[in-house]
Structures are given as C-alpha cells and as structure tokens.
Amino acid sequence: LAGFLKHVADVWVKTDRETLEAMKKIVAKLSSSKGGLTRKNRERLRPFDDPAVVEAFLDLPDRIRREVPAMRVSERSKAVLAQTAVAIALLQTTAIRIRNLCGLGMREHLIPRGNEVFLVIPGDQVKNGEEIEAVLPPEVVDLLAWYIREHRSRLMTAETDALFPGANGQTKSPVTFGPQISATVKRFLGIEVNPHLFRHAMGKLFLDVRPGDYETMRSVLAHRDIETTKSVYTGAESVAAGRHFNAVIAARRAARAAPVRARSKRKGAA
C-alpha cells in the first residue's frame, strides 16, 4: 500500500523530490520482500535455459537486418523493423530501461571517442540517479549506422535529434515502443519478452557463465548498491550453478575411480 501511494505521489501528483525521498524511506522500512526474481519472471526466463533459444535471441537484431530487404512490405514497415532491431540490440548490450531507450538523442547520448561509440545518459535522466556510460560493441555501432543511414528518415515527421522519432519531432513513447518490441520478439522467436525483462534476461545470460559475479551486473545495470543486484538476481543463475556443481562432482568422482581401475588392471595382469 505504501509503495502504491508513493507511485501515485510520483506519477500523478508530481510531488517534490524531498517528499518523494521521504516516502521512499518509509516504503523501504515497511518492505517485507524476500528478494529474488518473482515467480512470473522466473517462468518467463525459463526459455533462456535452452541454448538454441539464447542463440536465436542474441542473433535477432542481425536476423532482422538480414531479412528486411527481401520483405514484401512498405518501406515504412521495413523502417519500423529496423528501428526495433536497434532497440533490441541496445537492450541486449546496455540493459537500459525503456524510458531511457525511448529518450535517446543521437548527439546527446551517442558519443564517439576515437574508434568507439559510447552510450552516455546523465544521472538526472536515470530512475535511480546513477549515470550510465557504456561502450557499444562494433556490431551494434554498425547496426545503428545502417538504421540511421537507410531507415530513420522514413519515421520522421519533423526535424529531431531523437534516435527513435515519434510524432511531431518528439521521442517515441514507451507505451508505443514497448509493445512494438515485445511483438517483434514474439513474431520471430515465439517467446514473451517485454522491455523490462531484457534486464533480467541479460543478467541471467551473464550469470549463467559467471555465477555469483554480481559486481559486474551491478555496474552494467547502474545499481547504486550491490545488495540491490543480489536481491533481484539471486537464483537467476541456479541452473548454471547446478550444472557447474554437477561437473565438479563428476570430475572428483572420475578422479577417485581412476586409481581403483588401475589397481584392478594390475591384479588382472598378475
């Protein structure tokens, strides 16, 4: 109830920051959350236990780029798909929130430094006040260049710096962009993934390879406190951790059995 009232104060009443911070402290004291992913999110992440799904998911932006030219749809529809491919690639590599994704400006937030391009979002534009700074992989930069060069102009109704232009030169709305991204993932892969689930999915995929490395995920997700990261992602890597555990035990079992087999062979030879 306290959390709901804080949300009303923030979104609808537009209360001042000082009052909102005081309400946040009250909510934190009353919270009885056990932490970890919700049951619903755990169910949504189960497809990512399948290596084939993971491979297809990570390849999706490039797949859309490969297939767009041959599609028998309007040029605007192709541009919308190209836009979505870039959005998916950015969600996969930076795990930013949908509101920050929609608000990206080409000159304001995409900063070239030498041969690299950085995504930089000031703290006052981020939900928790933490600045985001991430280097974009070369393949994502190449995808961005393709979208900007060949498709972005078809989505513009007025001059704008917005990477994802909406109506009248404004940025695209999360209410529009979120379902667009989800529908595209569903269309190509057949799985349910909303924009916020990308943060959980990328956390899981990383922790599957590096179980327990919460500090790296804390930095990527721009959490202020590593306890926040732990509280959300504890257990996300449980399947991978179980496999690692089984592999270690199997190796120990094999090592123990080796001398027994060797003694048996010597006895047989005698």
Side-chain angles (χ1 to χ4, degrees), residues 173-198:
S173 166
V175 175
T176 301
F177 212 10
Q180 178 181 317
I181 293 168
S182 298
T184 301
V185 176
K186 178 74 172 179
R187 170 184 170 185
F188 281 85
L189 302 182
I191 59 176
E192 302 282 349
V193 180
N194 60 49
H196 188 72
L197 195 70
F198 271 82

Side-chain angles (χ1 to χ4, degrees), residues 20-41:
L20 192 61
E21 287 300 320
M23 294 183 77
K24 285 182 179 179
K25 290 179 180 179
I26 293 171
V27 173
K29 290 179 180 179
L30 293 173
S31 176
S32 60
S33 173
K34 295 180 180 179
L37 293 170
T38 64
R39 181 187 297 272
K40 185 175 182 180
N41 281 335

Side-chain angles (χ1 to χ4, degrees), residues 51-99:
V53 171
V54 172
E55 182 178 348
F57 176 70
L58 295 177
D59 181 59
L60 183 54
D62 288 331
R63 176 185 170 186
I64 293 173
R65 180 178 180 177
R66 292 192 301 268
E67 294 184 7
V68 157
M71 289 182 175
R72 296 183 178 181
V73 295
S74 68
E75 292 303 313
R76 178 175 173 79
S77 294
K78 291 181 180 180
V80 170
L81 274 171
Q83 178 189 71
T84 311
V86 170
I88 291 170
L90 289 173
L91 288 171
Q92 288 177 342
T93 54
T94 66
I96 59 175
R97 296 177 177 87
I98 182 66
R99 189 169 297 279

Side-chain angles (χ1 to χ4, degrees), residues 151-172:
H151 297 285
R152 177 177 172 271
S153 62
R154 293 192 174 93
L155 303 172
M156 294 172 58
T157 57
E159 284 299 319
T160 177
D161 182 53
L163 179 62
F164 303 117
N168 304 317
Q170 301 298 310
T171 59
K172 195 142 185 171

